[in-house]
């Protein structure tokens, strides 16, 4: 392979992640997060209505779930990567600089679920069918949000010369752009595994599996959500192992790997427990029997709508 061909056999990374509209900064990271939230809300609304839920409920609940999820994502990141904020020479104020990146999906799920529960209580609906409807959309939203890491030249694995290697620049996080060398060109650190892309593809594939399994086995009572968590954590295990950015470790393993293992085991156990204790799927069309298996006529109607 010639030098020119080798240069083309890589995935380029942006050299700028922030643009200014007058005094207002437009950040690619934030736009990707917003796009992911919108896609997740759209698919969740569609799936919830197909399952017999009331139209418009998802938008009401999202006003609670989304802010809680964003706060939770930031809190998890700051708590598990506290040194830049509260360590020697750290700046505690930067813990609030969410636009510079740094979001933990585990915190987003935990506090997002809390916000969703509050919203569901206020709307007078049950949380498990909402979670089942939301599972594939959340996966798509996570994948779309990962594009923000591409714009920020972050979340990459070890060095590689594979055809899909990712070019990474030395990055000025505060300015939101690549550092320029003496020649005025962006400084390239090398080519690395695109861990962000691996996660994006994994979440998209997992979303397809959840949708298929939900239709095939009529998952209910939180089992579609449980499947989402299990699939995501399995993927996160090997993707996290590829990453070389600094992270706190426990017994030589990155903290996120331990979190993935624990969350995966708990989610799998709860999913099996749900299948044994609550077989079938909730009938959202029957307010008086919110947790019963739908009768044949309702089941046929729901399958037609889902198809």
């Amino acid at each position: 392979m010639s030098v020119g061909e080798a240069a083309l056999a890589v995935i380029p990374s942006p050299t700028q992640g922030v643009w200014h509209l007058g005094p207002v900064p437009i950040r690619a990271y934030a736009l990707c997060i917003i796009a992911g939230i919108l896609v997740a809300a759209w698919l969740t609304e569609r799936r919830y209505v197909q399952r017999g839920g009331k139209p418009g409920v998802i938008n009401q609940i999202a006003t609670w779930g989304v802010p809680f999820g964003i706060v939770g994502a930031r809190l998890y990141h700051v708590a598990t990567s506290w040194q830049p904020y509260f360590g020697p020479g750290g700046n505690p104020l930067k813990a609030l600089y969410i636009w510079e990146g740094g979001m933990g999906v585990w915190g987003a799920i935990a506090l997002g679920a809390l916000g969703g529960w509050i919203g569901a209580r206020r709307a007078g609906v049950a949380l498990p069918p909402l979670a089942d409807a939301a599972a594939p959309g959340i996966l798509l939203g996570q994948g779309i949000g990962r594009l923000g890491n591409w714009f920020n030249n972050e979340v990459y694995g070890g060095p590689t010369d594979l055809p899909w290697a990712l070019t990474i620049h030395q990055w000025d996080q505060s300015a939101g752009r690549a550092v320029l060398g003496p020649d005025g060109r962006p400084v390239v650190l090398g080519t690395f595994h695109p861990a962000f892309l691996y996660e994006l593809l994994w979440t998209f594939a997992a979303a397809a599996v959840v949708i298929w399994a939900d239709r095939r086995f009529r998952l209910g009572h939180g089992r579609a959500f449980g499947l989402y968590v299990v699939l995501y954590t399995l993927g996160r295990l090997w993707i996290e192992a590829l990453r070389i950015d600094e992270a706190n470790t426990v017994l030589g393993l990155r903290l996120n790997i331990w979190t993935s293992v624990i969350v995966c085991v708990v989610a799998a156990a709860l999913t099996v427990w749900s299948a044994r204790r609550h077989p079938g799927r909730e009938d959202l069309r029957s307010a008086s029997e919110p947790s019963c298996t739908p009768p044949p006529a309702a089941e046929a109607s729901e399958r037609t709508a889902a198809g």
Side-chain angles (χ1 to χ4, degrees):
M1 180 182 292
S2 67
V3 174
E5 291 173 331
L8 291 174
V10 296
I11 300 173
S13 286
T15 58
Q16 185 173 353
V18 181
W19 299 266
H20 288 82
L21 188 60
V24 180
I26 308 298
R27 302 181 184 276
Y29 185 86
L31 292 178
C32 292
I33 296 293
I34 292 171
I37 291 172
L38 292 176
V39 169
W42 167 79
L43 184 56
T44 300
E45 168 74 10
R46 176 170 176 163
R47 282 172 48 80
Y48 189 65
V49 172
Q50 287 177 347
R51 296 166 88 92
K54 182 181 177 182
V57 168
I58 298 304
N59 290 334
Q60 299 176 37
I61 296 172
T63 60
W64 288 90
V66 171
F68 271 67
I70 291 174
V71 171
R74 187 59 175 178
L75 286 176
Y76 180 86
H77 167 75
V78 172
T80 57
S81 302
W82 55 271
Q83 288 88 344
Y85 313 106
F86 303 105
N91 182 358
L93 198 59
K94 282 199 169 186
L96 303 176
Y97 294 0
I98 193 171
W99 54 86
E100 290 189 357
M103 305 281 277
V105 65
W106 315 115
I109 293 173
L111 276 194
L114 175 60
W117 177 78
I118 294 173
R121 293 268 296 182
R122 292 175 65 89
V125 298
L127 183 60
L130 282 171
D132 286 336
I138 295 174
L139 280 163
L140 293 182
Q142 288 177 220
I144 294 171
R146 276 301 182 198
L147 288 172
N149 301 126
W150 178 57
F151 278 97
N152 281 0
N153 279 240
E154 59 189 4
V155 186
Y156 53 89
T160 183
D161 57 359
L162 291 169
W164 55 85
L166 176 70
T167 300
I168 291 294
H169 303 96
Q170 185 177 344
W171 200 251
D172 184 342
Q173 192 68 270
S174 59
R177 62 173 180 267
V179 174
L180 301 180
D183 58 356
R185 299 171 63 86
V187 177
V188 175
L189 298 179
T191 57
F192 302 85
H193 279 284
F196 87 90
L197 180 59
Y198 297 159
E199 186 167 333
L200 183 156
L201 295 175
W202 182 271
T203 56
F204 279 25
V209 171
V210 171
I211 291 173
W212 170 81
D214 192 29
R215 291 179 176 178
R216 174 66 177 81
F217 302 107
R218 295 188 51 74
L219 302 177
H221 301 278
R223 290 191 290 279
F225 188 83
L227 178 60
Y228 142 60
V229 175
V230 170
L231 290 176
Y232 176 74
T233 51
L234 288 176
R236 188 64 185 264
L237 278 172
W238 65 269
I239 294 169
E240 191 71 24
L242 289 174
R243 293 175 59 173
I244 60 173
D245 51 307
E246 291 186 7
N248 291 321
T249 61
V250 176
L251 299 178
L253 293 177
R254 295 168 69 95
L255 182 58
N256 279 334
I257 291 180
W258 287 109
T259 304
S260 296
V261 171
I262 295 171
V263 173
C264 182
V265 170
V266 172
L270 290 176
T271 301
V272 172
W273 174 83
S274 173
R276 292 179 176 177
R277 187 174 179 84
H278 301 290
R281 179 188 288 178
E282 307 93 326
D283 179 12
L284 300 182
R285 292 178 175 85
S286 175
S288 62
E289 298 178 337
S291 60
C292 68
T293 302
E299 181 176 347
S301 174
E302 182 173 348
R303 285 182 176 174
T304 301

